Amino acid sequence: MQIPQQATQSIWTATHAIGDPAPLNADARADVAIVGAGIAGLTTAYELLRRGRKVVVLDRGPLSGNQTALTSGHLCDAVDDRY
């Protein structure tokens, strides 16, 4: 995962490597398609999988990339992005 040079780095990107999944090269069937592999999309996918749904997660970038990779777990990105 390539994280842009920012002022902050989340604890999970500093301590764990997140592998990049292979691109979708064929048709896929699922009950739910989630667009966005950030914390909200992955959490939703996890909860749906726990409830027996078939899920596909789509994103143009890496898993947990962008704002999720840069946040430190607060609800406002202004702390990371600066005002």
Side-chain angles (χ1 to χ4, degrees):
M1 172 190 327
Q2 292 183 347
I3 299 172
Q5 296 298 320
Q6 298 287 335
T8 61
Q9 183 178 22
S10 67
I11 187 69
W12 39 86
T13 59
T15 59
H16 293 84
I18 300 173
D20 290 327
L24 185 62
N25 291 323
D27 292 343
R29 291 197 174 271
D31 298 319
V32 179
I34 296 175
V35 179
I39 193 68
L42 294 177
T43 302
T44 302
Y46 173 75
E47 290 296 329
L48 288 167
L49 287 169
R50 288 186 55 211
R51 289 164 174 74
R53 301 289 191 257
K54 294 180 182 175
V55 179
V56 62
V57 178
L58 306 168
D59 200 307
R60 65 178 172 80
L63 288 175
S64 300
N66 299 319
Q67 288 301 316
T68 296
L70 299 174
T71 186
S72 56
H74 43 77
L75 297 176
C76 177
D77 64 355
V79 175
D80 285 332
D81 292 342
R82 306 291 182 233
Y83 292 101

